Amino acid sequence: MRKTLLLGLVLLLALTAVPAMAARSGGTIYFVAPYGGDVFSLDPHNSHRTQDSIISLNIHKCLYEWSPEKNMPVLALAESVKISPDGKVYTFKLRPNIKFHNGRQLTVDDVIWSYNRIMSLKPASNGSRFVRPILGAKEVEDGKAKTIKGLKKIDDLTLEVTLTEPVDLKYYLFWVNTCILPKEEVEKRGKSFMTNPVGCGPFKFVKWVKGSKLVVKKFDDFYLEGRPYLDKVVYNIMPESASRDLAFKAKKLDATIVGAVNYPQYLADPVYGKNLLEVAEMFTRHIGFNQSFKPFQNKKVRQAINYAIPADLIVKKLLKGKAYPARGYLPISSPAFDPKGKKYEFDLKKAKQLMKEAGYEKGFTVEQCVGTANKSWGTGIYEAAMPYLKKIGITLKIQQMEGAAMAERLRRGEYQMYIWSVGSGPDPLESLHRFHSNNAQAGGNFIAYNNPEFDKLLDKAAHTFDQKARIDLLKKADAVFVEDAPMWFFNYNKAVLASQPWVHNLSKVAVEMMYQDMTNVWVDDKSPRANEK
């Protein structure tokens, strides 16, 4: 009898606990758009800004979408895909129940039209680099053809895509810049589509108050039944971290991005400290060495710098722990990250020995150390490193400049050292290919890296379709890169998102923490906006 009563009590407790954790439908979430004083465009084909993408990814959809759980793109608008043995032909089957916000069904014609539009826009769309691997896309971009040859309609829901070379297409066609738009709405609205878009995502555009907020509401005919859970999302445009912090603590924001200055306070808070999402974003902060500058032609000098600067200490003291010390170029969240790979630990004695072996025991002066004012990876890091480099005889002369001006200097190779943050994901092959010898400085290989062994590993990985074998090759390539030390490996950004206790299902998004897909997010009854529509 006693066992029966105990069992009944356990079942009762279990049943009463379920509603508290089950997703509830309704309510509003107040989120932030923190990367500027306004939004530029909600036409994702016509936007180059992360700020815009934060919102657009909830209005629009692509063939693939990012899965935080799997840490990779998965199918979205397509329900299945078949890939040919040579990796050059993808056959997609679209979901049959996708509707645009104007009520029309999405078909293969919309996919073909969208990709052709991306490649024909002038100035070039930011999505063009992701569509370019498709056969004939470059010809449309160059004005030599009107349509992309490699796109073939089999029927209304079946699309065949032929590539110029075998690439893992999921890493290309999940970016919001490649989303599928309704031709008739784009053509009818013209430039106003940028401010009044129509998509097929979980939320419909409602209004945009310039410089203040942008509002989207639930799309009842979204292809995933019962979702989104929220009635509305309000994006508050708040570029100032102090303002975001005050609004969040006053419970006027449901979630906010956390900067390095406030990070220790949030960690220590008994409530907010339990509601922090942290992820190693796919950005690698580093100092790049221009090997046309004679001292940097010697690998031992480059390695000496890596040993001489205490990266872990700088992350802890200067960045308040809001970063992950780098082991190599590929970040912790990359599928090809090797936790057992070589890491340059602080070793001043070894650094001095390497400088002596390289013939630079007396050191040298670096005249052109370019950087921006960014506190996490700008000239302040140079200043933190200077006393340590001085101990091995290296003197830095810092030149701080605006980001666009510095980028132009890097593309032209007009520097001796630079410090910056560069995207290092999500596709590890594409990330490392930045430094392939066939990629010019203007194309992103700012250090003009040239290593035949590294190139060979990348080329082999590109033609290896077994995923495990490809990852193993990429780990080896990253190891070669680390050993060669063409840069000082500093850190991977630790993105931190704080949320109120009533918010559920925000995700650790390694490609960019603020790219929060709100489809599965919900708020419980404790939210002051639980019943707001």
Side-chain angles (χ1 to χ4, degrees), residues 111-131:
V111 181
I112 293 174
W113 178 83
S114 294
Y115 291 165
N116 276 296
R117 179 182 187 243
I118 288 168
M119 298 313 297
S120 59
L121 283 173
K122 303 296 180 189
S125 168
N126 201 39
S128 61
R129 60 193 173 117
F130 304 121
V131 178

Side-chain angles (χ1 to χ4, degrees), residues 225-270:
E225 188 176 354
R227 278 167 288 173
Y229 298 121
L230 294 166
D231 286 320
K232 189 167 64 176
V233 181
V234 178
Y235 292 93
N236 293 272
I237 300 168
M238 303 179 77
E240 298 297 328
S241 60
S243 299
R244 295 194 301 268
D245 187 54
L246 287 171
F248 181 77
K249 289 177 179 177
K251 298 180 173 54
K252 293 180 180 179
L253 282 177
D254 294 302
T256 186
I257 190 170
V258 178
V261 174
N262 296 322
Y263 179 57
Q265 300 169 14
Y266 278 85
L267 269 181
D269 190 283

Side-chain angles (χ1 to χ4, degrees), residues 280-299:
E281 275 189 334
M282 294 176 173
F283 294 90
T284 301
R285 280 79 180 270
H286 64 280
I287 288 176
F289 306 131
N290 189 337
Q291 293 183 40
S292 65
F293 179 52
K294 189 176 179 180
F296 293 153
Q297 293 173 6
N298 194 309
K299 180 170 73 172

Side-chain angles (χ1 to χ4, degrees), residues 374-411:
N374 188 284
K375 293 179 181 179
S376 296
W377 41 265
T379 54
I381 306 302
Y382 275 145
E383 292 166 353
M386 283 175 72
Y388 298 96
L389 292 176
K390 195 72 174 175
K391 291 179 181 179
I392 61 170
I394 297 177
T395 300
L396 306 183
K397 293 191 176 180
I398 301 170
Q399 298 177 16
Q400 183 170 299
M401 58 190 66
E402 188 269 330
M406 192 182 87
E408 190 58 35
R409 289 274 294 269
L410 301 193
R411 282 190 282 266

